[in-house]
C-alpha cells in the first residue's frame, strides 16, 4: 500500500531587506521566507507546499510543521486523496495541537503548508494544475471538502451546491477564455514604502507600459509622504489606472478615517488593511466613512469563520484571501463559496515568496467553477523571487497566464532551496546581512 512516508520541512529565507523589497509601514525590513514542506510517499510520489513569513519567527513555523508531521506520516495516500476535507480536519482538529489555535496562527499556517503540499501531490498524480483539478470536480465533490459546522448560519450545503451548479454550464467556455486571455493582475512592485520617489515613478511608468491597469501603493508612513507619493503616482499613470493603497494595519480606527480623507482627491480605489486585521467592526466603521473608496482585507484572516463574520457585518468591499494563512486549498474553497454567496469580489493577496505561484490557482478555479466572472477581480503580482520556482508565474499584458504544469506551483529549484537555507545556506554565510540606511521619505508614524 502506498503511504505517506516522509514530511520534510526547511527554513528558507531570502534577503529582500537588502533592497527594501516588500517594505511597508508595519514591516520596514522584511526578509521574505518560506517554511518549505515536501511530502513524499512510499511509492515515490512528491508534493510541495509552503507557509510564508517575513524572517525571524520562521523557525517557529518550521517547528509547528514538525509537530503536525506525526498526524500525516503513515496515512494511506488513496484514503487521503479520496477525502481531503477529512484530511484537513485531521490537521486542524487534533485534540491537543488545536489548543494552540484553535484554527489560527502558527499552527494553522503549518497545516496550510502541509495541506497545500498534498494538493500539489494530487495535481502531479493527476497530471493537472490544481486550478483545473478543482474546476473538474463535481459540485458534490467540492462541497464535500468544506467543513460547514461553523458556517451554516451564513452558508448551507444546499446553498453551496446551488452556487456551484449554477456555474456549471459555462465551465468549458471559461476554461477556454482563461487559457487564451489569462486572469487580470495588479502590481504592487512600484509601491513599496522604502523606495525613493524616483524609483516609485519609474516602476509605475514601467508597470503601465507592461499592461497593468491597477497598481498598489504602500501608505502609513509620514502623512506628507503618503500624500506626495500618491500625487506622484496619479500624475504618472493618469486617471484611467486604478491605484489601490495599503496601510498594512498601522492605524487605529479613528486614525484610519482621518488619514484617508486627504488622500481621497487622488481617487484611491481601495484602502487595504486600514486597521487591525482582527477588528471586524472597526473595518465596518471605516467602510462607512471611506466611501466611495472601497475597503479591502483578508490576507491575515485566521480562518473561514472570521471571513464569514467580515461578510455578515458588511465590513469589506474586497476579500483578499491568502494561499497559506488559512488551512490551504481546502479551506479556501469554503472561503470562495462564502464570497460568492455574499457577492463580494475576491482579489487574492500574493505579496510574498511563492504566494503568486499558489494563489493564482484559487482565483482561476473561482472564475471557472464558482463566481463565473473576473469583473472587479484581480490577483496581486510582485516581481520578486519567481526565478527560484520550477513553474514560475507567467505574466502577459497585465494578466496571469493559466498554469499548465501539474501541481500547485510551489516547488523550488533544489539549488535555490540549498542556497537559502537559514542560517547555513551560502546566501546567508557566516555574517549577518548588512541593512541599508533608512531611505528618504520613509519615516514611520508612531501609533
Amino acid at each position: 500500500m502506498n503511504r505517506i512516508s516522509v514530511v520534510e520541512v526547511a527554513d528558507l529565507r531570502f534577503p529582500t531587506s537588502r533592497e527594501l523589497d516588500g517594505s511597508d509601514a508595519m514591516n520596514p525590513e522584511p526578509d521574505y521566507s518560506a517554511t518549505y514542506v515536501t511530502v513524499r510517499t512510499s511509492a515515490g510520489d512528491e508534493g510541495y507546499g509552503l507557509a510564508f513569513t517575513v524572517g525571524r519567527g520562521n523557525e517557529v513555523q518550521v517547528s509547528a510543521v514538525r509537530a503536525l508531521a506525526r498526524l500525516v506520516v503513515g496515512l494511506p495516500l488513496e484514503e487521503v486523496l479520496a477525502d481531503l476535507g477529512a484530511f484537513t480536519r485531521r490537521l486542524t482538529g487534533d485534540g491537543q495541537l488545536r489548543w494552540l489555535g484553535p484554527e489560527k496562527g502558527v499552527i494553522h499556517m503549518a497545516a496550510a503548508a502541509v495541506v497545500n503540499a498534498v494538493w500539489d501531490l494530487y495535481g502531479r498524480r493527476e497530471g493537472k494544475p490544481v486550478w483545473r483539478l478543482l474546476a473538474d470536480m463535481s459540485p458534490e465533490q467540492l462541497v464535500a471538502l468544506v467543513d460547514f459546522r461553523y458556517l451554516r448560519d451564513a452558508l448551507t450545503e444546499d446553498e453551496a451546491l446551488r452556487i456551484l451548479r449554477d456555474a456549471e454550464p459555462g465551465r468549458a467556455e471559461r476554461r477556454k477564455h482563461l487559457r487564451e486571455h489569462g486572469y487580470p493582475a495588479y502590481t504592487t512592485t512600484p509601491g513599496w514604502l522604502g523606495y525613493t520617489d524616483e524609483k516609485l515613478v519609474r516602476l509605475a511608468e514601467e508597470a503601465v507600459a507592461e499592461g497593468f491597469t491597477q497598481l498598489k501603493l504602500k501608505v502609513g508612513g509620514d502623512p506628507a509622504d503618503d500624500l506626495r507619493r500618491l500625487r506622484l503616482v496619479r500624475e504618472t499613470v493618469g486617471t484611467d489606472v486604478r491605484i489601490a493603497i495599503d496601510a498594512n494595519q498601522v492605524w487605529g480606527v479613528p486614525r484610519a478615517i482621518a488619514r484617508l480623507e486627504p488622500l481621497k482627491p487622488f481617487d484611491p480605489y481601495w484602502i487595504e488593511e486600514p486597521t487591525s486585521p482582527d477588528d471586524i467592526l472597526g473595518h465596518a466603521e471605516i467602510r462607512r466613512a471611506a466611501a466611495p473608496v472601497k475597503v479591502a482585507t483578508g490576507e491575515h484572516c485566521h480562518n473561514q469563520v472570521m471571513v464569514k463574520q467580515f461578510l455578515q457585518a458588511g465590513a469589506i468591499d474586497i476579500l483578499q484571501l491568502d494561499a497559506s494563512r488559512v488551512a490551504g486549498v481546502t479551506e479556501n474553497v469554503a472561503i470562495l463559496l462564502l464570497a460568492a454567496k455574499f457577492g463580494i469580489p475576491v482579489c487574492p493577496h500574493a505579496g510574498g515568496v511563492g504566494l503568486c505561484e499558489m494563489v493564482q490557482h484559487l482565483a482561476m478555479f473561482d472564475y471557472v467553477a464558482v463566481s463565473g466572472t473576473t469583473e472587479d477581480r484581480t490577483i496581486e503580482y510582485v516581481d520578486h523571487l519567481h526565478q527560484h520556482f520550477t513553474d514560475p508565474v507567467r505574466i502577459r499584458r497585465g494578466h496571469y497566464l493559466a498554469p499548465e504544469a501539474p501541481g500547485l506551483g510551489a516547488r523550488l529549484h533544489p539549488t535555490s532551496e540549498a542556497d537559502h537555507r537559514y542560517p547555513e545556506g551560502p546566501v546567508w554565510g557566516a555574517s549577518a546581512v548588512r541593512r541599508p540606511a533608512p531611505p528618504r521619505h520613509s519615516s514611520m508614524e508612531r501609533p
Side-chain angles (χ1 to χ4, degrees), residues 165-229:
R165 286 170 180 163
D166 286 348
E168 273 192 297
R171 279 190 185 188
E173 181 182 345
R174 290 191 291 274
R175 282 193 201 95
K176 182 175 183 291
H177 184 273
L178 190 59
R179 288 198 176 99
E180 291 176 352
H181 302 284
Y183 195 102
Y186 76 90
T187 180
T188 304
T189 297
W192 301 116
L193 199 63
Y195 286 176
T196 64
D197 290 355
E198 293 75 16
K199 188 171 184 177
L200 169 66
V201 168
R202 173 174 58 81
L203 292 177
E205 289 174 338
E206 291 175 1
V208 174
E210 291 165 3
F212 290 99
T213 58
Q214 180 175 322
L215 316 178
K216 189 163 78 181
L217 179 68
K218 298 293 183 174
V219 296
D222 182 89
D225 290 348
D226 287 350
L227 190 62
R228 186 194 65 260
R229 294 173 77 246

Side-chain angles (χ1 to χ4, degrees), residues 293-440:
V293 180
K294 299 179 185 299
V295 169
T297 198
E299 70 186 76
H300 285 88
C301 268
H302 299 303
N303 50 49
Q304 62 191 25
V305 175
M306 191 172 183
V307 171
K308 177 192 77 169
Q309 292 182 346
F310 267 108
L311 296 171
Q312 288 175 317
I316 55 173
D317 301 285
I318 305 288
L319 174 59
Q320 298 175 305
L321 61 75
D322 183 272
S324 67
R325 175 68 57 174
V326 302
V329 170
T330 313
E331 190 169 13
N332 271 313
V333 170
I335 289 169
L336 288 167
L337 287 165
L338 281 164
K341 162 71 184 297
F342 283 83
I344 294 295
V346 175
C347 297
H349 166 248
V353 59
L355 296 185
C356 294
E357 278 70 21
M358 294 189 296
V359 82
Q360 61 182 330
H361 293 269
L362 301 171
M364 292 177 187
F365 157 65
D366 175 68
Y367 169 56
V368 172
V370 185
S371 70
T373 182
T374 60
E375 184 178 359
D376 287 334
R377 288 162 167 80
T378 180
I379 307 170
E380 184 175 20
Y381 172 72
V382 297
D383 66 352
H384 308 143
L385 308 176
H386 303 296
Q387 70 274 19
H388 298 292
F389 290 86
T390 61
D391 183 32
V393 295
R394 299 172 298 150
I395 297 287
R396 186 174 66 199
R397 295 192 296 275
H399 286 69
Y400 276 80
L401 300 184
E404 296 294 340
L408 190 59
R411 185 180 187 182
L412 287 152
H413 290 292
T415 53
S416 292
E417 179 184 353
D419 287 348
H420 292 88
R421 283 180 176 262
Y422 186 86
E424 68 271 21
V427 165
W428 294 100
S431 60
V433 176
R434 183 185 176 195
R435 306 288 182 184
R440 232 173 7 105

Side-chain angles (χ1 to χ4, degrees), residues 38 52 57 65 67 74-75 82 89 105 134 199 236 239 252 273 277 286 311 337 352-353 390 397 410 415:
T38 304
F52 167 66
V65 170
L75 295 179
R89 290 190 292 275
L134 286 164
K199 188 171 184 177
T236 299
T239 57
E273 287 199 319
I286 293 167
L311 296 171
L337 287 165
V353 59
T390 61
R397 295 192 296 275
T415 53

